[in-house]
Amino acid sequence: MFASQNWWNNVDTPLIGNYQLDRQNYSDRAGNLPDLSWRGQLPEITDDRGVFLSDRHWLQTDTPVNRLNQRLQETSKFTIITTIATAKFQQKGPARIISISDSNGRRNFTLGQQGNNLNLRLRTPINGVNAQYLDTNVHNVFTDKQFHKLVITYANSGLHVYVDNLQNRYNINLLEVLPKEDRILYYGLIFIPLGALLAIVITLAKQQFIRYTLFYAGVLLPTLIVETILAMSSGRSFEIANILLGMLMTASTTLILKLKIPFWLRNKVLNFANHKT
């Protein structure tokens, strides 16, 4: 793929989009997406090898890329292959190179330049409608003005970026770059309600052996299940810190509520359960 100029002829999976920007006709050669056309001022710099983009002139589709967005929603995976070069080593914004967005406040994906780094923003359930919470960078990509070929793949919460060759690879797991305070919040939304439910179930149990069994199983099993799902979906190994965090939240919630449940509430719950039986 890196050695071939016409790499798209060797791809087994049909392409959703294939734009060749070395000519005046900026249409999708795959025939699935709308044409690109100039916005802003016409560029003063021309090059047979591609197009020159800036904040004053850029290419944009005439209509939304509905088929592309639909495929992204169906598969939650993609591969982007492009060749780019910078004319300025320091950019802010980030300076967008490729973007699937409705506006500055709503985007599905952006590939841009921040400083001399390659900046990637991807919309996910935990990343917001503007993909603003997890800002990932591949450092020192734009340290010269030469063309660089990029291959970017996403699957199972993992971004893999190849720059110029297969050996120059960068792996980014979006679950692992989640800030610590946000991770605690999301874990709390899962395990605190589980701990509250476990406290009610233990309260209803009449035998001490059953209460202890329910407590240890309720603390351990949900945490292991959640960590297994996250590890398998993202292709990473088990993280003991995540397991301990989930167990701590579940156990502490259960014990606090178990001690704080008033006797009158416990009697009402037991009376309700006996009435049902």
Side-chain angles (χ1 to χ4, degrees):
M1 183 174 294
F2 285 100
S4 175
Q5 288 295 110
N6 299 325
W7 53 266
W8 53 87
N9 294 326
N10 302 320
V11 176
D12 296 331
T13 305
L15 298 176
I16 298 298
N18 181 10
Y19 292 101
Q20 300 298 312
L21 305 182
D22 55 354
R23 61 198 69 194
Q24 294 298 319
N25 181 17
Y26 306 128
S27 60
D28 172 26
R29 299 182 64 178
N32 297 315
L33 304 179
D35 295 347
L36 292 167
S37 58
W38 285 108
R39 297 292 191 273
Q41 305 174 1
L42 290 177
E44 298 176 358
I45 302 176
T46 59
D47 194 317
D48 293 337
R49 297 172 297 176
V51 295
F52 181 79
L53 307 175
S54 75
D55 57 351
R56 295 185 302 274
H57 44 263
W58 63 94
L59 288 170
Q60 181 177 322
T61 57
D62 299 324
T63 57
V65 287
N66 293 327
R67 184 164 184 179
L68 175 58
N69 288 326
Q70 180 182 356
R71 288 289 293 163
L72 291 175
Q73 292 176 351
E74 292 173 351
T75 64
S76 294
K77 60 179 66 175
F78 63 80
T79 297
I80 295 175
I81 304 172
T82 186
T83 301
I84 59 177
T86 187
K88 187 177 180 181
F89 296 143
Q90 293 296 322
Q91 299 272 15
K92 297 179 181 180
R96 287 178 287 180
I97 302 171
I98 299 175
S99 185
I100 306 173
S101 56
D102 178 44
S103 63
N104 290 332
R106 294 177 60 89
R107 80 186 73 207
N108 287 339
F109 174 81
T110 290
L111 183 154
Q113 181 183 347
Q114 181 71 35
N116 65 357
N117 304 322
L118 180 70
N119 181 270
L120 299 169
R121 296 188 179 185
L122 176 64
R123 179 178 178 177
T124 64
I126 64 174
N127 209 13
V129 296
N130 196 29
Q132 74 270 32
Y133 298 128
L134 301 180
D135 201 10
T136 56
N137 291 284
V138 178
H139 297 284
N140 301 322
V141 172
F142 301 104
T143 56
D144 57 45
K145 296 184 179 181
Q146 302 300 316
F147 281 95
H148 296 282
K149 191 166 190 176
L150 305 179
V151 177
I152 302 169
T153 66
Y154 173 78
N156 300 325
S157 302
L159 271 170
H160 307 285
V161 182
Y162 302 86
V163 181
D164 293 327
N165 56 67
L166 294 175
Q167 290 70 38
N168 198 13
R169 171 178 173 175
Y170 303 86
N171 300 319
I172 304 169
N173 191 304
L174 296 183
L175 295 178
E176 294 178 354
V177 299
L178 187 68
K180 183 180 296 184
E181 57 272 16
D182 291 343
R183 184 177 302 187
I184 293 175
L185 173 62
Y186 289 121
Y187 269 62
L189 292 175
I190 297 173
F191 293 108
I192 290 178
L194 285 176
L197 179 61
L198 182 59
I200 296 175
V201 173
I202 291 175
T203 301
L204 294 174
K206 297 180 179 180
Q207 297 183 12
Q208 185 175 4
F209 172 76
I210 295 178
R211 288 198 293 266
Y212 278 114
T213 302
L214 288 173
F215 176 76
Y216 289 117
V219 169
L220 180 61
L221 289 181
T223 310
L224 289 178
I225 292 173
V226 171
E227 180 62 16
T228 300
I229 294 174
L230 292 177
M232 293 181 64
S233 62
S234 61
R236 62 169 175 80
S237 59
F238 279 75
E239 294 189 8
I240 300 299
N242 293 341
I243 297 176
L244 293 177
L245 178 61
M247 292 176 62
L248 176 63
M249 287 185 171
T250 306
S252 59
T253 303
T254 301
L255 293 175
I256 291 173
L257 292 180
K258 183 69 172 62
L259 295 174
K260 294 296 183 180
I261 291 178
F263 286 105
W264 66 267
L265 179 59
R266 177 178 178 179
N267 291 333
K268 285 184 177 293
V269 173
L270 290 174
N271 290 335
F272 178 78
N274 293 329
H275 178 73
K276 287 295 184 180
T277 58

